Every structure is written in structure tokens, then in C-alpha cells.
């Protein structure tokens, strides 16, 4: 039985994240999507509670996916959840250096915890939560970048 964790900021969840969640969920028994609770709350557009609700909404058709959040080291959270695998999506070569460093750091802290990289689907290669927020903040069209429910939440945030 493989229990995996897909950690991230998900501020907000994009179609690229959702693609990774769906593909990972097909390959493992249980997938925990885990939001990092950042100590500096002012860096996030959505609260952790809002992001948890959003992720629950967009993964409601995936029975082996659950949503959680964590503080501190990912390896400690993985130990607590008895997870053996970390999932990370890889977009381009530019992601590789930092992701490789993170995977090796996690492995040195917890040798039995393995990181599995999933290459992003080509249509989502260019997506990142920060560019999505920038486009949305200037009233640009974010259709196709985020699930419909999240598009509305983003528009509401920037209307305020
Ligand atoms: O979506 P992001 O911001 O790329 O996700 C980064 C995340 C949350 C996976 C990473 O920052 C993380 O795991 N932070 C927890 C702290 C930790 O364990 N650090 C050691 C590994 S570098």
C-alpha cells in the first residue's frame, strides 16, 4: 500500500496542479495533498482554510485523495502520516535544480522517503500560481489556467 503526499502552496490550485493530482492518484493507493502553512501569512492571497476548501472542491470526485495542511518540515509530516512517497510536478528544466535539491534534502533527513517526479502535461507547462495571480489581478482571462470554481474565487479576491 503506497501513501503519498503532494505538498505545495496551492495559492491557488491551478489546472497544472490538478493534472498532477489526478495522475498521481491513479498510481498510488492514497494521496494526501498538503498545504504548507507559511509563517508569513501576508505572502499568501488565499488563507489556508480557503485553499483547503478549494482543493476539497476540485478533488471531490477522487476518492483516494484527501486534503491536509502542515507546518514545519515535510519529512516530519510524512512520518506522522506514515507516507512513503512525495510527489512533485516538474514543468521545465528551470524547476529541476531546486526540486532536485529539495528531494535530496528530504532524502538525507528521511532516507526511506522517496520523491517521485511527474512531468507536467504540455498544455500546462507555462502555468504557475504567481503568473495566474498577476493575470487575474489585472483583469486578464484565466480560463483554462484554473478550475472554474477557483476562477470565481480569484475574481472575487481582486474585486475587493
Ligand atoms: O508549491 P511550492 O511553494 O513550490 O511548495 C514548496 C514546498 C511546500 C513543497 C516546500 O517549501 C516544503 O516542503 N516546505 C516545508 C519545509 C521543508 O520541509 N523544508 C526542507 C526541504 S527543502
Amino acid at each position: 500500500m503506497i501513501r503519498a503526499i503532494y505538498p505545495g502552496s496551492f495559492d491557488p490550485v491551478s489546472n497544472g496542479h490538478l493534472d498532477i493530482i489526478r495522475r498521481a492518484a491513479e498510481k498510488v493507493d492514497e494521496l494526501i495533498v498538503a498545504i504548507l502553512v507559511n509563517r508569513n501569512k501576508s505572502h499568501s492571497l488565499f488563507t489556508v482554510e480557503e485553499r483547503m476548501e478549494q482543493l476539497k472542491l476540485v478533488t471531490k470526485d477522487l476518492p483516494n485523495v484527501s486534503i491536509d495542511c502542515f507546518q514545519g518540515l515535510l519529512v516530519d509530516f510524512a512520518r506522522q502520516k506514515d507516507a512513503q512517497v512525495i510527489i512533485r510536478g516538474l514543468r521545465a528544466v528551470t524547476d529541476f535544480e531546486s526540486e532536485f535539491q529539495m528531494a535530496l534534502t528530504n532524502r538525507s533527513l528521511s532516507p526511506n522517503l522517496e520523491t517521485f517526479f511527474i512531468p507536467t502535461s504540455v498544455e500546462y507547462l507555462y502555468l504557475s500560481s504567481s503568473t495566474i495571480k498577476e493575470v487575474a489581478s489585472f483583469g486578464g482571462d484565466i480560463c483554462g489556467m484554473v478550475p472554474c470554481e477557483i476562477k470565481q474565487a480569484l475574481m472575487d479576491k481582486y474585486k475587493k
Side-chain angles (χ1 to χ4, degrees):
M1 149 104 183
I2 299 180
R3 183 176 294 133
I5 296 179
Y6 178 33
S9 306
F10 305 106
D11 187 37
V13 58
S14 69
N15 280 340
H17 292 130
L18 197 52
D19 171 60
I20 299 291
I21 293 172
R22 287 186 183 286
R23 288 161 62 204
E26 277 178 21
K27 302 289 178 232
V28 300
D29 299 290
E30 278 180 35
L31 180 69
I32 302 169
V33 181
I35 303 167
L36 174 70
V37 181
N38 204 314
R39 267 175 282 189
N40 193 343
K41 285 186 184 164
S42 60
H43 282 169
S44 314
L45 178 64
F46 292 100
T47 65
V48 173
E49 292 74 22
E50 285 171 327
R51 283 178 272 159
M52 284 192 71
E53 281 313 309
Q54 292 167 356
L55 277 160
K56 280 181 189 163
L57 194 64
V58 300
T59 59
K60 63 176 190 291
D61 62 321
L62 303 171
N64 63 337
V65 174
S66 61
I67 313 300
D68 212 329
C69 60
F70 72 103
Q71 269 177 316
L73 287 178
L74 178 60
V75 291
D76 290 335
F77 179 70
R79 221 172 271 132
Q80 191 191 317
K81 293 289 167 181
D82 203 16
Q84 308 89 338
V85 170
I86 294 171
I87 302 284
R88 291 289 288 171
L90 270 189
R91 283 168 303 189
V93 200
T94 42
D95 280 347
F96 185 76
E97 201 173 324
S98 58
E99 291 295 334
F100 195 55
Q101 187 181 31
M102 194 152 66
L104 292 184
T105 306
N106 285 331
R107 212 155 100 82
S108 84
L109 293 170
S110 183
N112 291 328
L113 189 62
E114 210 51 88
T115 300
F116 290 179
F117 292 117
I118 297 185
T120 297
S121 297
V122 179
E123 61 267 43
Y124 305 126
L125 266 183
Y126 66 99
L127 282 185
S128 77
S129 293
S130 44
T131 51
I132 290 169
K133 282 183 278 193
E134 186 166 325
V135 173
S137 72
F138 291 114
D141 186 5
I142 48 168
C143 260
M145 298 185 191
V146 290
C148 290
E149 302 89 334
I150 312 303
K151 179 184 168 189
Q152 193 53 52
L154 268 165
M155 284 163 55
D156 291 346
K157 270 280 175 201
Y158 288 116
K159 236 187 270 163
K160 282 178 192 165

